[in-house]
Amino acid sequence: MKNLREVPSPGPEAYDRARTALHTAMTEPVATVVRPKRWFSWPKAGVAAVGAAAVATAVVMGTTGGTVPTGPAIEAAPQAVVESPLVKLASEVKAAAALTGDSSLVIGTKTAPDGSPYVYYTVYTDKGQVFKGDSAKTLGASAAKNEDQARPFDAKVMAAARLAANGDVEKARVAMVTAAGNALGLGLSPAEADKAWADAQAEIDKMFREHGKEVLPPRPRPTGKDLENRIDNHLWSNATYALFVGAANAEIRAGVLKLLATIKEATVGETDVDGQRALTIGASPDILGGDASAKLTINADNGLPIRDETFPAENSPNPSKYAVVTYKSSRVNLADVAAGKI
């Protein structure tokens, strides 16, 4: 598990961040592994060869285990934000009575390469601190030593979620998409956008050179549907990251739900998980870089994440492997965490 914790953000939530085989945003100082869903146009094999150190600079790579049949195709189902059950649920979450505690505790479980369950703990405080551990004991020790692992990226995605929760969804959407950099040039003039894209490519080329890898030919700045898919890719990646860290903070959770509702190509369905009503939110391979689709399952009554799954894309030459992370979230007091009382 040592390698998992080294790429690119220390600790476990990294796994959630890269759920497809290659999702990067060109200049991102990135925030984690197994969960984006960010991608950039380069061969998967070329990126994999760069190694963990390079990945920490500019890419997010999937870490999955086991094989299962390809997941169900996710069809595009555009819908107005006001009609989305996610928006309705977000309003209910925001209006619900505040729970006690000053922090969000999220416990994730994924499958390690040897097939065993790997459990990791993340605490996000209402003040913006982030503490991590691979057990209640190591989490408590990290909190007791005040080993705050929050990065500027954390503050940006959480601020974007709060902005969405409090009403300015369009501004929050841009803030969430650009939380790790604006290589796509949102809000910039054509000339400024071209420069942002070129600068981002230059950073990636530099990283490849430093690791003795072949630099790829210049890639044109995406436009049209390609650009829309990449914007949605960044939005899905960053918003779900915020959810998987700060799920037990109602404001963060409500904001993320509103932002996911703006992804027109995402699907929303209903299901049942162990007797509890749940909603599923699906992202197609077009959004996730072509190699995988994703299905996020949340509690239909409170919006808390239950399960996050990646399915290999049927028509991809290099489909991702199936991966699943399950979540349990609760409100806690940081002082109790530091004292080992969780």
Side-chain angles (χ1 to χ4, degrees):
M1 302 316 299
K2 178 175 181 293
N3 289 339
L4 284 180
R5 289 195 292 271
E6 291 176 349
V7 189
S9 143
E13 84 219 10
Y15 178 82
D16 312 305
R17 179 119 169 132
R19 10 188 152 163
T20 64
L22 173 60
H23 308 283
T24 93
M26 302 175 45
T27 61
E28 307 170 18
V30 166
T32 32
V33 166
V34 192
R35 167 184 5 172
K37 319 149 217 188
R38 301 191 172 160
W39 91 90
F40 177 43
S41 302
W42 51 32
K44 183 192 300 183
V47 178
V50 175
V55 173
T57 304
V59 304
V60 178
M61 304 183 67
T63 306
T64 57
T67 58
V68 298
T70 300
I74 298 178
E75 299 178 359
Q79 54 183 274
V81 173
V82 295
E83 298 176 344
S84 172
L86 300 182
V87 174
K88 179 177 182 295
L89 178 56
S91 298
E92 293 171 354
V93 168
K94 186 74 165 45
L99 300 178
T100 59
D102 60 17
S103 303
S104 166
L105 168 65
V106 179
I107 304 174
T109 303
K110 60 187 166 88
T111 302
D114 64 1
S116 63
Y118 177 64
V119 182
Y120 58 91
Y121 297 69
T122 304
V123 163
Y124 171 71
T125 74
D126 295 344
K127 294 181 179 180
Q129 301 162 292
V130 175
F131 300 97
K132 305 173 187 177
D134 55 11
S135 68
K137 182 177 180 180
T138 57
L139 175 67
S142 177
K145 295 175 184 177
N146 196 31
E147 294 175 340
D148 182 7
Q149 297 183 45
R151 300 147 303 151
F153 176 82
D154 293 281
K156 289 179 180 179
V157 296
M158 299 306 181
R162 287 191 172 95
L163 185 60
N166 291 307
D168 199 338
V169 177
E170 287 305 314
K171 186 175 180 180
R173 178 180 164 89
V174 173
M176 187 65 83
V177 170
T178 61
N182 192 14
L184 297 177
L186 268 67
L188 303 180
S189 68
E192 291 171 332
D194 285 341
K195 184 179 185 304
W197 181 260
D199 289 347
Q201 284 193 102
E203 287 296 318
I204 291 178
D205 291 346
K206 178 182 177 182
M207 177 266 290
F208 269 64
R209 292 190 187 94
E210 289 174 348
H211 290 83
K213 305 304 174 185
E214 181 180 357
V215 174
L216 300 174
R219 287 75 72 194
R221 181 168 66 87
T223 57
K225 186 61 177 176
D226 184 21
L227 177 59
E228 291 179 19
N229 286 338
R230 289 169 188 261
I231 289 172
D232 286 343
N233 174 281
H234 287 45
L235 178 59
W236 177 276
S237 172
N238 296 345
T240 54
Y241 170 80
L243 181 66
F244 298 147
V245 173
N249 182 304
E251 195 173 37
I252 299 299
R253 191 162 75 252
V256 168
L257 293 174
K258 285 187 176 182
L259 288 168
L260 292 180
T262 69
I263 301 178
K264 293 181 179 180
E265 299 294 332
T267 58
V268 179
E270 297 182 3
T271 188
D272 180 278
V273 178
D274 297 328
Q276 60 181 323
R277 294 191 313 117
L279 297 178
T280 59
I281 311 169
S284 69
D286 287 342
I287 295 174
L288 298 189
D291 295 332
S293 62
K295 182 170 71 173
L296 169 62
T297 302
I298 62 174
N299 185 294
D301 296 318
N302 57 32
L304 291 173
I306 298 172
R307 185 169 58 235
D308 183 33
E309 296 173 277
T310 298
F311 298 95
E314 289 184 353
N315 300 321
S316 169
N318 298 294
S320 298
K321 293 181 180 180
Y322 175 78
V324 59
V325 184
T326 59
Y327 296 95
K328 293 182 179 179
S329 312
S330 59
R331 289 290 288 175
V332 296
N333 287 303
L334 183 62
D336 290 338
V337 174
K341 299 177 181 178
I342 60 170

mmCIF file of all heavy atoms in Angstrom, residues 29-51:
data_model
loop_
_atom_site.group_PDB
_atom_site.id
_atom_site.type_symbol
_atom_site.label_atom_id
_atom_site.label_comp_id
_atom_site.label_asym_id
_atom_site.label_seq_id
_atom_site.Cartn_x
_atom_site.Cartn_y
_atom_site.Cartn_z
ATOM 1 N N PRO A 29 -1.792 20.499 -9.978
ATOM 2 C CA PRO A 29 -0.919 20.075 -8.922
ATOM 3 C C PRO A 29 -1.601 18.963 -8.229
ATOM 4 O O PRO A 29 -1.450 18.714 -7.091
ATOM 5 C CB PRO A 29 -0.853 21.281 -8.011
ATOM 6 C CG PRO A 29 -2.018 22.089 -8.327
ATOM 7 C CD PRO A 29 -2.425 21.773 -9.679
ATOM 8 N N VAL A 30 -2.393 18.419 -8.682
ATOM 9 C CA VAL A 30 -3.334 17.436 -8.358
ATOM 10 C C VAL A 30 -3.610 17.075 -6.949
ATOM 11 O O VAL A 30 -2.843 17.051 -6.076
ATOM 12 C CB VAL A 30 -3.020 16.152 -9.034
ATOM 13 C CG1 VAL A 30 -3.844 15.102 -8.392
ATOM 14 C CG2 VAL A 30 -3.339 16.216 -10.467
ATOM 15 N N ALA A 31 -4.611 16.508 -6.836
ATOM 16 C CA ALA A 31 -5.126 16.188 -5.575
ATOM 17 C C ALA A 31 -5.327 14.758 -5.358
ATOM 18 O O ALA A 31 -5.802 14.456 -4.445
ATOM 19 C CB ALA A 31 -6.435 16.847 -5.499
ATOM 20 N N THR A 32 -5.238 13.830 -6.069
ATOM 21 C CA THR A 32 -5.414 12.476 -5.624
ATOM 22 C C THR A 32 -5.428 11.438 -6.697
ATOM 23 O O THR A 32 -5.556 11.736 -7.809
ATOM 24 C CB THR A 32 -6.712 12.304 -4.906
ATOM 25 O OG1 THR A 32 -7.568 13.154 -5.467
ATOM 26 C CG2 THR A 32 -6.562 12.583 -3.538
ATOM 27 N N VAL A 33 -5.422 10.209 -6.216
ATOM 28 C CA VAL A 33 -5.420 9.116 -7.152
ATOM 29 C C VAL A 33 -6.755 8.477 -7.200
ATOM 30 O O VAL A 33 -7.462 8.427 -6.411
ATOM 31 C CB VAL A 33 -4.490 8.036 -6.732
ATOM 32 C CG1 VAL A 33 -4.752 6.783 -7.516
ATOM 33 C CG2 VAL A 33 -3.110 8.462 -6.988
ATOM 34 N N VAL A 34 -7.168 7.701 -7.651
ATOM 35 C CA VAL A 34 -8.341 7.080 -8.004
ATOM 36 C C VAL A 34 -9.471 7.955 -7.910
ATOM 37 O O VAL A 34 -10.317 7.745 -7.239
ATOM 38 C CB VAL A 34 -8.664 5.850 -7.269
ATOM 39 C CG1 VAL A 34 -9.770 5.118 -7.912
ATOM 40 C CG2 VAL A 34 -7.480 5.002 -7.261
ATOM 41 N N ARG A 35 -9.593 8.772 -8.395
ATOM 42 C CA ARG A 35 -10.795 9.500 -8.618
ATOM 43 C C ARG A 35 -10.644 10.403 -9.785
ATOM 44 O O ARG A 35 -11.510 10.447 -10.508
ATOM 45 C CB ARG A 35 -11.139 10.215 -7.442
ATOM 46 C CG ARG A 35 -12.094 11.127 -7.716
ATOM 47 C CD ARG A 35 -12.349 11.795 -6.768
ATOM 48 N NE ARG A 35 -11.565 11.512 -5.782
ATOM 49 C CZ ARG A 35 -11.580 12.180 -4.799
ATOM 50 N NH1 ARG A 35 -12.385 13.047 -4.776
ATOM 51 N NH2 ARG A 35 -10.844 11.980 -3.864
ATOM 52 N N PRO A 36 -9.959 11.364 -10.284
ATOM 53 C CA PRO A 36 -10.415 11.985 -11.363
ATOM 54 C C PRO A 36 -10.882 11.000 -12.088
ATOM 55 O O PRO A 36 -11.250 10.117 -11.548
ATOM 56 C CB PRO A 36 -9.353 12.693 -11.994
ATOM 57 C CG PRO A 36 -8.395 12.787 -11.259
ATOM 58 C CD PRO A 36 -8.788 11.953 -10.126
ATOM 59 N N LYS A 37 -10.606 11.455 -12.945
ATOM 60 C CA LYS A 37 -11.441 11.463 -14.053
ATOM 61 C C LYS A 37 -10.997 12.580 -14.896
ATOM 62 O O LYS A 37 -11.684 13.052 -15.711
ATOM 63 C CB LYS A 37 -12.824 11.684 -13.648
ATOM 64 C CG LYS A 37 -13.084 10.906 -12.429
ATOM 65 C CD LYS A 37 -14.031 11.580 -11.685
ATOM 66 C CE LYS A 37 -13.830 11.508 -10.362
ATOM 67 N NZ LYS A 37 -14.450 11.823 -9.399
ATOM 68 N N ARG A 38 -9.911 13.070 -14.671
ATOM 69 C CA ARG A 38 -9.397 14.093 -15.558
ATOM 70 C C ARG A 38 -8.611 13.430 -16.624
ATOM 71 O O ARG A 38 -7.939 12.484 -16.335
ATOM 72 C CB ARG A 38 -8.414 14.949 -14.853
ATOM 73 C CG ARG A 38 -8.958 15.566 -13.744
ATOM 74 C CD ARG A 38 -8.053 16.539 -13.300
ATOM 75 N NE ARG A 38 -8.867 17.114 -12.368
ATOM 76 C CZ ARG A 38 -8.565 17.808 -11.405
ATOM 77 N NH1 ARG A 38 -7.413 18.129 -11.293
ATOM 78 N NH2 ARG A 38 -9.409 18.258 -10.593
ATOM 79 N N TRP A 39 -8.603 13.981 -17.816
ATOM 80 C CA TRP A 39 -7.754 13.347 -18.808
ATOM 81 C C TRP A 39 -7.134 14.374 -19.711
ATOM 82 O O TRP A 39 -7.582 15.486 -19.850
ATOM 83 C CB TRP A 39 -8.539 12.314 -19.620
ATOM 84 C CG TRP A 39 -9.171 12.818 -20.855
ATOM 85 C CD1 TRP A 39 -8.646 12.866 -22.098
ATOM 86 C CD2 TRP A 39 -10.487 13.350 -20.974
ATOM 87 N NE1 TRP A 39 -9.534 13.372 -22.971
ATOM 88 C CE2 TRP A 39 -10.667 13.677 -22.319
ATOM 89 C CE3 TRP A 39 -11.529 13.570 -20.077
ATOM 90 C CZ2 TRP A 39 -11.848 14.212 -22.800
ATOM 91 C CZ3 TRP A 39 -12.696 14.108 -20.555
ATOM 92 C CH2 TRP A 39 -12.848 14.419 -21.895
ATOM 93 N N PHE A 40 -6.062 13.948 -20.359
ATOM 94 C CA PHE A 40 -5.385 14.767 -21.344
ATOM 95 C C PHE A 40 -5.064 13.848 -22.501
ATOM 96 O O PHE A 40 -4.937 12.655 -22.307
ATOM 97 C CB PHE A 40 -4.124 15.352 -20.716
ATOM 98 C CG PHE A 40 -3.316 16.150 -21.669
ATOM 99 C CD1 PHE A 40 -3.927 17.026 -22.525
ATOM 100 C CD2 PHE A 40 -1.946 16.017 -21.716
ATOM 101 C CE1 PHE A 40 -3.173 17.767 -23.404
ATOM 102 C CE2 PHE A 40 -1.211 16.760 -22.595
ATOM 103 C CZ PHE A 40 -1.809 17.624 -23.433
ATOM 104 N N SER A 41 -4.941 14.344 -23.696
ATOM 105 C CA SER A 41 -4.806 13.473 -24.863
ATOM 106 C C SER A 41 -3.395 12.929 -25.042
ATOM 107 O O SER A 41 -2.603 13.450 -25.808
ATOM 108 C CB SER A 41 -5.203 14.244 -26.125
ATOM 109 O OG SER A 41 -6.511 14.722 -26.009
ATOM 110 N N TRP A 42 -3.096 11.880 -24.320
ATOM 111 C CA TRP A 42 -1.851 11.174 -24.592
ATOM 112 C C TRP A 42 -2.083 9.699 -24.368
ATOM 113 O O TRP A 42 -3.005 9.306 -23.696
ATOM 114 C CB TRP A 42 -0.705 11.685 -23.727
ATOM 115 C CG TRP A 42 -0.966 11.749 -22.284
ATOM 116 C CD1 TRP A 42 -1.765 10.943 -21.529
ATOM 117 C CD2 TRP A 42 -0.421 12.702 -21.389
ATOM 118 N NE1 TRP A 42 -1.738 11.331 -20.240
ATOM 119 C CE2 TRP A 42 -0.929 12.385 -20.122
ATOM 120 C CE3 TRP A 42 0.479 13.769 -21.526
ATOM 121 C CZ2 TRP A 42 -0.584 13.111 -18.997
ATOM 122 C CZ3 TRP A 42 0.813 14.476 -20.405
ATOM 123 C CH2 TRP A 42 0.284 14.163 -19.165
ATOM 124 N N PRO A 43 -1.229 8.844 -24.952
ATOM 125 C CA PRO A 43 -1.433 7.406 -24.814
ATOM 126 C C PRO A 43 -1.319 6.986 -23.359
ATOM 127 O O PRO A 43 -0.445 7.437 -22.639
ATOM 128 C CB PRO A 43 -0.294 6.801 -25.649
ATOM 129 C CG PRO A 43 0.124 7.900 -26.574
ATOM 130 C CD PRO A 43 -0.106 9.174 -25.814
ATOM 131 N N LYS A 44 -2.184 6.072 -22.949
ATOM 132 C CA LYS A 44 -2.145 5.597 -21.574
ATOM 133 C C LYS A 44 -0.794 4.973 -21.264
ATOM 134 O O LYS A 44 -0.216 5.188 -20.214
ATOM 135 C CB LYS A 44 -3.232 4.560 -21.360
ATOM 136 C CG LYS A 44 -3.305 4.077 -19.931
ATOM 137 C CD LYS A 44 -4.168 2.859 -19.779
ATOM 138 C CE LYS A 44 -5.580 3.108 -20.204
ATOM 139 N NZ LYS A 44 -6.433 1.925 -19.997
ATOM 140 N N ALA A 45 -0.264 4.181 -22.177
ATOM 141 C CA ALA A 45 1.000 3.510 -21.917
ATOM 142 C C ALA A 45 2.120 4.505 -21.687
ATOM 143 O O ALA A 45 2.993 4.324 -20.848
ATOM 144 C CB ALA A 45 1.353 2.606 -23.090
ATOM 145 N N GLY A 46 2.104 5.598 -22.444
ATOM 146 C CA GLY A 46 3.149 6.600 -22.284
ATOM 147 C C GLY A 46 3.117 7.221 -20.914
ATOM 148 O O GLY A 46 4.151 7.482 -20.301
ATOM 149 N N VAL A 47 1.938 7.463 -20.398
ATOM 150 C CA VAL A 47 1.830 8.067 -19.083
ATOM 151 C C VAL A 47 2.235 7.077 -18.010
ATOM 152 O O VAL A 47 2.924 7.403 -17.053
ATOM 153 C CB VAL A 47 0.395 8.538 -18.825
ATOM 154 C CG1 VAL A 47 0.288 9.105 -17.440
ATOM 155 C CG2 VAL A 47 0.026 9.601 -19.845
ATOM 156 N N ALA A 48 1.794 5.840 -18.167
ATOM 157 C CA ALA A 48 2.105 4.842 -17.152
ATOM 158 C C ALA A 48 3.603 4.690 -16.995
ATOM 159 O O ALA A 48 4.114 4.456 -15.898
ATOM 160 C CB ALA A 48 1.483 3.509 -17.543
ATOM 161 N N ALA A 49 4.332 4.834 -18.079
ATOM 162 C CA ALA A 49 5.771 4.641 -18.030
ATOM 163 C C ALA A 49 6.488 5.739 -17.276
ATOM 164 O O ALA A 49 7.629 5.573 -16.852
ATOM 165 C CB ALA A 49 6.325 4.558 -19.460
ATOM 166 N N VAL A 50 5.841 6.848 -17.107
ATOM 167 C CA VAL A 50 6.492 7.961 -16.432
ATOM 168 C C VAL A 50 6.782 7.635 -14.982
ATOM 169 O O VAL A 50 7.767 8.067 -14.411
ATOM 170 C CB VAL A 50 5.614 9.222 -16.514
ATOM 171 C CG1 VAL A 50 6.227 10.342 -15.705
ATOM 172 C CG2 VAL A 50 5.482 9.639 -17.962
ATOM 173 N N GLY A 51 5.899 6.887 -14.341
ATOM 174 C CA GLY A 51 6.140 6.488 -12.957
ATOM 175 C C GLY A 51 5.423 7.372 -11.964
ATOM 176 O O GLY A 51 4.936 8.442 -12.286
#
